[in-house]
Amino acid sequence: ELKQTIKNTSSGLLESFRGLTVTNEDVSYIFKYTTMYLE
C-alpha cells in the first residue's frame, strides 16, 4: 500500500511539472546544486 502511495505521489509530481516552462534561471539553479559523478 505504501509503495502504491509513493508511486501515485511521484506520478502527480511529474504531471504537475509537465506544463511548466524551464527558464535559464532554473537551469542555473540546477547546475549550481546538482553534482554528477561519472565512473
Side-chain angles (χ1 to χ4, degrees):
E1 188 174 314
L2 179 60
K3 186 177 180 180
Q4 186 62 33
T5 301
I6 292 170
K7 183 178 179 182
N8 289 342
T9 301
S10 62
S11 295
L13 282 171
L14 288 172
E15 185 63 33
S16 69
F17 291 138
R18 184 182 299 233
L20 297 177
T21 302
V22 177
T23 64
N24 287 336
E25 183 179 344
D26 295 330
V27 174
S28 295
Y29 182 86
I30 291 168
F31 281 137
K32 184 176 180 182
Y33 293 103
T34 303
T35 304
M36 188 181 316
Y37 297 97
L38 302 175
E39 293 185 11

